[in-house]
Amino acid sequence: EDKVVQSPLSLVVHEGDTVTLNCSYEVTNFRSLLWYKQEKKAPTFLFMLTSSGIEKKSGRLSSILDKKELFSILNITATQTGDSAIYLCAVWHGGSQGNLIFGKGTKLSVKP
Amino acid sequence: DADVTQTPRNRITKTGKRIMLECSQTKGHDRMYWYRQDPGLGLRLIYYSFDVKDINKGEISDGYSVSRQAQAKFSLSLESAIPNQTALYFCATSDDGYEQYFGPGTRLTVT
C-alpha cells in the first residue's frame, strides 16, 4: 500500500530556532515529492523535488530528496512566528494518470 | 478575484440531507480534485477529474458523487449526509497534477 509518513506530527520551537521536518514514503511509480504549507485554510505550494541530492531553496526554507532512502527533509532556519503552520508532504504515485498522496502533516508552532 | 472558489464556505446540515459543494476555477486547468481534511489525518482524495469526460474515484469515494459540468466547474455531492462526513473540504486544480492550487475550503458540519 502506498504511504507517506511525516514526522514529527507536531513541534513547538522558539523564534530563531532551526527546525527539520521529515517525510518518508513508499509509493509505486514515484515521480516527485512536494511540500505544501497550510496556515489558516488552503495549502500553498512550497517545493517540488524530483531528483536526489539537489537542494531546493526559498529564503529560509530548503528541502532535499533522497530517492535511495525514500525520504525528504524540509529545513527552516531562523524561524519566525509567521512560520507557524501545518507542513504537508505529498508524493505523486500511480504513473501518468496518478495523483498525489498526502502525509498527515507536521504542525509547527513558533513561540515568540 | 481568487483563481479557485468554493461555495458555500460554511454549511451546517442534518443527517440524511442531500448537499452539494461547488468549485469553480479560472486557471484554465484540466485537472480538478476534491479532498477532505480531518484533524490529524492530512488531506485525503475523494474524486478527481482529468477532463470533463474523465472522472476517477480517490481513496475515500464511498458516500460521495461528483459532476464535472464544464472544464471550470466540479461539484461534490453527498447524497445522504452522515455525521462522520463532518470535515473541511477542499477543491484543487492543476495543470500537470503536481503543483495543485487549492480553493479556500468548505467547512461542513453534519448534525
Side-chain angles (χ1 to χ4, degrees):
Chain A
E1 181 185 344
D2 292 347
K3 61 181 179 181
V4 177
V5 179
Q6 293 187 244
S7 63
L9 293 181
S10 66
L11 186 59
V12 180
V13 300
H14 288 92
E15 274 192 315
D17 289 348
T18 293
V19 298
T20 298
L21 309 183
N22 303 291
C23 177
S24 64
Y25 62 91
E26 292 180 29
V27 299
T28 53
N29 296 316
F30 173 88
R31 291 204 171 189
S32 62
L33 183 146
L34 294 87
W35 286 97
Y36 284 83
K37 178 182 181 181
Q38 185 177 20
E39 294 181 78
K40 290 195 170 72
K41 277 290 178 79
T44 54
F45 173 80
L46 291 175
F47 299 112
M48 182 168 77
L49 301 149
T50 306
S51 302
S52 276
I54 299 175
E55 185 182 55
K56 291 284 183 85
K57 199 170 172 67
S58 176
R60 295 175 294 101
L61 277 66
S62 64
S63 184
I64 198 162
L65 174 67
D66 186 328
K67 289 169 71 174
K68 182 179 177 184
E69 300 297 330
L70 308 182
F71 77 91
S72 173
I73 59 172
L74 176 67
N75 280 320
I76 308 175
T77 59
T79 52
Q80 303 171 357
T81 55
D83 295 325
S84 295
I86 296 173
Y87 291 84
L88 296 165
C89 173
V91 175
W92 181 269
H93 73 134
S96 62
Q97 299 299 304
N99 48 69
L100 293 177
I101 180 170
F102 283 82
K104 295 181 179 181
T106 293
K107 183 177 181 180
L108 174 65
S109 298
V110 182
K111 304 287 188 188
Chain B
D1 288 341
D3 294 322
V4 184
T5 57
Q6 292 183 233
T7 55
R9 296 292 308 279
N10 289 282
R11 180 73 182 266
I12 300 173
T13 192
K14 293 186 185 296
T15 297
K17 293 290 188 182
R18 183 179 188 274
I19 183 169
M20 179 182 287
L21 309 183
E22 300 187 338
C23 176
S24 294
Q25 53 115 345
T26 59
K27 298 192 74 67
H29 291 162
D30 285 327
R31 300 184 184 216
M32 296 188 74
Y33 304 81
W34 275 106
Y35 293 93
R36 68 176 276 176
Q37 187 174 37
D38 299 276
L41 292 181
L43 289 166
R44 293 184 291 166
L45 184 63
I46 306 172
Y47 271 95
Y48 59 107
S49 171
F50 289 153
D51 63 40
V52 175
K53 295 181 181 178
D54 185 0
I55 292 177
N56 305 278
K57 292 183 178 181
E59 178 189 354
I60 53 163
S61 60
D62 287 349
Y64 302 94
S65 63
V66 291
S67 172
R68 185 84 183 264
Q69 300 94 325
Q71 186 204 37
K73 294 185 183 296
F74 193 35
S75 300
L76 176 73
S77 293
L78 287 68
E79 297 300 327
S80 180
I82 56 176
N84 76 359
Q85 291 177 313
T86 293
L88 184 57
Y89 289 84
F90 286 106
C91 173
T93 75
S94 179
D95 186 27
D96 57 8
Y98 298 117
E99 183 175 351
Q100 297 188 8
Y101 298 84
F102 288 82
T106 294
R107 186 166 296 281
L108 176 66
T109 303
V110 183
T111 61

